[in-house]
Amino acid sequence: MFRLLRYFSIASLVSLVITTVILGALYRQIATSHLLDIGESHNIALTQNFANTLWPQFRSFAHAAQSLDAETLRRDPNIAKIHQGVLEAMRDTHVVKVKIYQLDGRTLFSTEPKQIGEDKSYNAGFLSARQGRPMSETTHRDKFSAFDREIVDRDMLSSYVALRRSVDAPIEGVLEIYTDVTGLLGSIAKKERLATLSVAAVLALLYGILFFIVRHADGIIKRLQYEQQRRTEQQIEHMAYHDAMTGLPNRVLLQDRIKQSLISAERSGNKLAVPFLDLDHFKIINDSLGHHIGDQVLQTVAKRLALCLRKGDTIARVGGDEFVLSLPDIQPNANLLQIVRKLIDATALPIEVAGQKIHITASVGIAIYPGHGQDVETLMRHADTAMYSAKQLGRNQHQMFAEHMDVRAQQQLTMEREMRSAFEEDGFVLHYQPIVTIESGVIVGAEALLRWPNAHRAWISPAEFIPVAEERDFIVVLGEWVLRTACAQNRAWQNAGFQPVYVAVNLSARQLRQPDLIEVVAGILKETGLDPAYLKLELTESQIMQNVAAATDTLIRLKAMGVRLSIDDFGTGYSSLAYLKRFPIDTLKIDQSFVRDITTDPDDAAISKAIISMAHAMGLTVIAEGGGNRGSEILTQRARL
């Protein structure tokens, strides 16, 4: 967590110290520089006064002294006179020492006699003054020889100034003047401390004001961070127990709610209902319109279902298109059925998405505590079983769980397991039913029929395992195997020298909705080497009518490949002539329910005649399923009329 107050305090205190130190040092530097300027100007004035008063008296001596050694120079009477003159000239000033240098750097005079005769030609101050540029500096001396005494612990300002009669006159020597500035520097130091303290006080006051402001801001930030953390935790918790798309509780939260309701129901003796709702044919919406449309449909359905609940009820999304409810304190014969009916009716209302109305229904299975289960898992499993029973009975309805349903569900699970195992072990086979012309009896094609020989139950009827394969989404894999195997067999017959015929393969509704169906068919034809003209795909009317636009587009693309198309079981579905003329089909296949009794039922005979006439008028061929010898004769007569 970000701690503003701590960081502000540390940063402010460090900045306060640094700022105070820098300002103090800056003040001292400015004051000292100012002192040097003033002291240097004062010493220049003293030098000029000396040059005008005393120096003319000793100029000739200065020239003569160049030939004297240091000891002789010190004993010369002129030195004493210069000393006396300097004392008089510097009286009542802060000057404590004076030195005169000849142009060659030799010390001509010093108020400290032992320094007379020393060579200072290397001294920077001397060299600068000899060039006409005064130079000053401050130094601290623990001990210093003044005019007539020794002083200790003093700050000195030494200035090197050129000696000349006037500003424009030639330089004749260099005068070094030492001025005692201890008091001035002490005053500067005192003022520096006072200024530093003043600045520190102002900064401390500013720090105090900002501290209270920052402390208040820090409190606000901490509260915001706490609230943000709490919201984040709530969001994480919500995500852990709710469905991201619909916002409804998920399976984890639902199971917890049901467990709590079971505890309450056990204490009170009331009943608990667990309805399991699944949307009918929802995959068609996802496959034909796209998952983004399917998601919007799910969100709309979820909102509608939630509005049907009572206070204390729970609805959760537990799968793609599956919803489970927990209805505590329920009366099975009264308000339970009323709520379930409301759920089904609310789902059936049209849903408008992306400018089009979508109609969808729901199948509901119901399990009730305690009769149908004593725990969450059992109740949900039995409700799921009852829901599948409602689908098998036609969908868009509800079913209460019964024991025989559980047996059937176990049988379906067993069949699915055995079916998948048989597929992996090449346990499925294809039988080929010949298709012959009525007049000549010549074989023109063969229909591929999927068969499953089971070691335990002999031949298993397709009416048993095909619905299970469709329900469990295994039909796509199985259907692709049938298509590949049939195409390969037809090609093998042709390679063996048999007269080429077409092979007819049934497509399931799930296969027709495959986005890559065209690619799959083209790939199999290329793989097996079969000419598309010798493949006929059969579809039912109901499959096509589930999504006419998408199905028509798929059929047109298949037809463009050269594949033949047939409508299977014609007469049992929509039988819409308006749609029929839009489909690029080659053949109508009359359902065997009309052909089986054609010799004894005049109605079936009339229907068959009408279908044959209509098909021929549209340029289509007709295939009749299941006709015997006598039926074939009648069909031949009908076809000639």
Side-chain angles (χ1 to χ4, degrees):
M1 182 179 292
F2 182 71
R3 300 185 180 275
L4 176 62
L5 188 60
R6 175 186 296 177
Y7 297 146
F8 168 77
S9 299
I10 295 173
S12 297
L13 290 175
V14 171
S15 301
L16 179 64
V17 172
I18 293 175
T19 302
T20 302
V21 171
I22 291 175
L23 289 177
L26 182 62
Y27 174 82
R28 183 176 183 84
Q29 182 180 359
I30 294 173
T32 303
S33 177
H34 184 62
L35 173 63
L36 286 174
D37 292 340
I38 295 176
E40 186 175 274
S41 299
H42 181 263
N43 289 342
I44 290 174
L46 289 176
T47 301
Q48 191 61 43
N49 181 59
F50 177 81
N52 293 333
T53 56
L54 295 179
W55 182 247
Q57 303 174 26
F58 302 104
R59 183 179 297 112
S60 58
F61 167 72
H63 289 293
Q66 293 179 358
S67 60
L68 300 177
D69 58 74
E71 187 61 33
T72 303
L73 188 59
R74 291 190 194 101
R75 294 195 302 269
D76 193 291
N78 288 302
I79 295 299
K81 292 178 181 180
I82 295 175
H83 186 85
Q84 185 62 35
V86 168
L87 286 177
E88 291 295 332
M90 305 303 175
R91 192 180 302 276
D92 299 327
T93 67
H94 293 286
V95 176
V96 295
K97 187 174 182 178
V98 175
K99 296 173 69 174
I100 301 174
Y101 302 104
Q102 294 175 313
L103 291 179
D104 60 358
R106 186 184 185 203
T107 305
L108 175 65
F109 169 78
S110 174
T111 53
E112 187 177 356
K114 65 180 182 179
Q115 294 180 341
I116 295 175
E118 290 181 352
D119 182 15
K120 292 293 184 178
S121 59
Y122 58 85
N123 183 276
F126 165 78
L127 294 174
S128 178
R130 194 176 67 176
Q131 298 296 323
R133 298 189 301 273
M135 182 175 179
S136 300
E137 62 179 354
T138 57
T139 57
H140 181 81
R141 299 292 182 89
D142 294 331
K143 292 182 180 182
F144 189 81
S145 297
F147 285 120
D148 52 1
R149 66 189 184 280
E150 186 176 69
I151 56 179
V152 296
D153 194 22
R154 310 302 285 177
D155 293 308
M156 298 294 171
L157 173 65
S158 62
S159 298
Y160 293 86
V161 185
L163 269 174
R164 48 186 159 189
R165 299 177 186 179
S166 63
V167 176
D168 298 328
I171 298 173
E172 300 179 9
V174 173
L175 184 68
E176 181 182 8
I177 300 177
Y178 287 85
T179 306
D180 186 357
V181 293
T182 303
L184 291 175
L185 290 180
S187 177
I188 291 174
K190 183 177 181 181
K191 291 180 180 179
E192 176 191 356
R193 289 192 294 272
L194 180 61
T196 301
L197 291 175
S198 299
V199 171
V202 172
L203 292 177
L205 177 62
L206 180 61
Y207 167 77
I209 295 172
L210 292 177
F211 177 82
F212 286 107
I213 295 174
V214 172
R215 186 173 67 175
H216 179 68
D218 186 57
I220 295 175
I221 291 175
K222 287 181 178 179
R223 286 195 298 273
L224 292 175
Q225 288 177 332
Y226 172 75
E227 292 173 0
Q228 178 65 32
Q229 182 179 359
R230 185 178 62 181
R231 284 195 298 268
T232 302
E233 291 174 352
Q234 291 174 347
Q235 184 178 5
I236 293 174
E237 182 179 1
H238 186 274
M239 292 172 61
Y241 295 104
H242 290 79
D243 175 56
M245 182 189 301
T246 63
L248 296 178
N250 59 14
R251 182 183 295 270
V252 176
L253 182 55
L254 172 71
Q255 291 177 336
D256 182 71
R257 296 274 179 88
I258 294 178
K259 287 179 182 179
Q260 299 300 322
S261 298
L262 285 173
I263 295 173
S264 177
E266 184 178 6
R267 292 175 180 172
S268 62
N270 294 330
K271 295 183 181 298
L272 167 69
V274 179
F276 197 116
L277 182 147
D278 184 89
L279 301 180
D280 299 326
H281 301 302
F282 181 73
K283 290 181 179 179
I284 297 177
I285 296 176
N286 273 340
D287 294 341
S288 59
L289 301 179
H291 286 275
H292 64 289
I293 299 296
D295 291 345
Q296 295 181 53
V297 171
L298 284 174
Q299 291 168 351
T300 302
V301 170
K303 292 178 181 178
R304 292 179 178 179
L305 295 179
L307 294 175
C308 299
L309 303 185
R310 309 164 304 163
K311 184 178 181 180
D313 295 342
T314 300
I315 181 171
R317 180 176 178 235
V318 297
D321 58 349
E322 297 175 338
F323 301 86
V324 176
L325 295 87
S326 172
L327 307 177
D329 302 326
I330 201 77
Q331 297 297 323
N333 296 325
N335 53 351
L336 171 58
L337 299 182
Q338 182 181 3
I339 293 174
V340 172
R341 191 68 254 170
K342 285 174 62 179
L343 295 172
I344 295 176
D345 293 343
T347 306
L349 294 174
I351 300 173
E352 187 168 347
V353 179
Q356 56 183 318
K357 288 187 177 181
I358 297 176
H359 297 269
I360 194 167
T361 59
S363 300
V364 182
I366 308 168
I368 300 177
Y369 168 85
H372 300 153
Q374 305 289 321
D375 55 72
V376 177
E377 290 74 17
T378 302
L379 287 170
M380 290 184 63
R381 187 179 74 252
H382 286 170
D384 186 24
T385 300
M387 181 270 294
Y388 277 107
S389 178
K391 285 184 176 293
Q392 292 172 354
L393 293 174
R395 295 180 168 81
N396 194 29
Q397 59 181 290
H398 69 272
Q399 284 292 309
M400 198 76 69
F401 174 76
E403 291 298 332
H404 67 85
M405 295 179 183
D406 198 29
V407 174
R408 185 168 63 248
Q410 293 298 326
Q411 290 174 344
Q412 289 181 343
L413 288 174
T414 300
M415 178 172 288
E416 179 189 5
R417 184 170 59 253
E418 293 178 351
M419 183 168 51
R420 292 182 182 274
S421 177
F423 181 79
E424 294 175 357
E425 298 173 1
D426 296 327
F428 287 96
V429 297
L430 289 184
H431 289 177
Y432 297 92
Q433 183 178 15
I435 300 173
V436 300
T437 60
I438 292 178
E439 293 182 344
S440 64
V442 175
I443 296 177
V444 294
E447 181 178 2
L449 303 175
L450 180 63
R451 294 295 182 262
W452 181 13
N454 186 294
H456 304 292
R457 299 171 55 192
W459 293 95
I460 301 177
S461 171
E464 294 184 45
F465 69 82
I466 292 297
V468 176
E470 291 178 339
E471 193 68 41
R472 305 295 178 176
D473 283 340
F474 188 59
I475 193 66
V476 173
V477 176
L478 200 57
E480 187 174 328
W481 177 84
V482 171
L483 180 61
R484 178 177 286 103
T485 303
C487 290
Q489 181 61 65
N490 195 2
R491 182 61 184 171
W493 288 334
Q494 295 179 16
N495 292 339
F498 291 100
Q499 183 69 25
V501 298
Y502 68 82
V503 61
V505 178
N506 287 280
L507 280 185
S508 68
R510 184 69 179 85
Q511 285 178 283
L512 184 60
R513 296 196 303 269
Q514 275 185 275
D516 61 343
L517 175 62
I518 304 300
E519 290 75 13
V520 169
V521 174
I524 290 176
L525 289 173
K526 182 178 180 181
E527 175 187 336
T528 58
L530 182 66
D531 190 324
Y534 296 114
L535 172 64
K536 178 181 285 187
L537 298 179
E538 297 188 353
L539 309 98
T540 64
E541 297 173 87
S542 58
Q543 291 174 353
I544 299 175
M545 297 303 293
Q546 287 177 359
N547 191 326
V548 175
T552 302
D553 179 68
T554 301
L555 295 179
I556 291 174
R557 295 173 65 187
L558 288 171
K559 185 69 175 177
M561 292 171 53
V563 175
R564 303 184 190 184
L565 301 173
S566 174
I567 298 293
D568 196 8
D569 300 335
F570 186 78
T572 61
Y574 293 88
S575 301
S576 172
L577 299 181
Y579 282 112
L580 187 61
K581 67 180 183 179
R582 293 173 51 186
F583 302 145
I585 59 174
D586 303 284
T587 304
L588 286 183
K589 197 171 183 181
I590 304 176
D591 187 69
Q592 63 178 342
S593 63
F594 299 116
V595 179
R596 186 185 304 112
D597 299 325
I598 196 172
T599 58
T600 59
D601 191 332
D603 292 337
D604 286 346
I607 292 174
S608 299
K609 177 183 177 182
I611 294 175
I612 293 173
S613 299
M614 177 194 67
H616 286 173
M618 298 179 66
L620 306 177
T621 59
V622 180
I623 296 177
E625 289 185 286
N629 292 333
R630 178 58 182 160
S632 298
E633 294 176 3
I634 294 176
L635 285 172
T636 302
Q637 296 172 3
R638 300 301 186 203
R640 290 172 176 173
L641 293 178

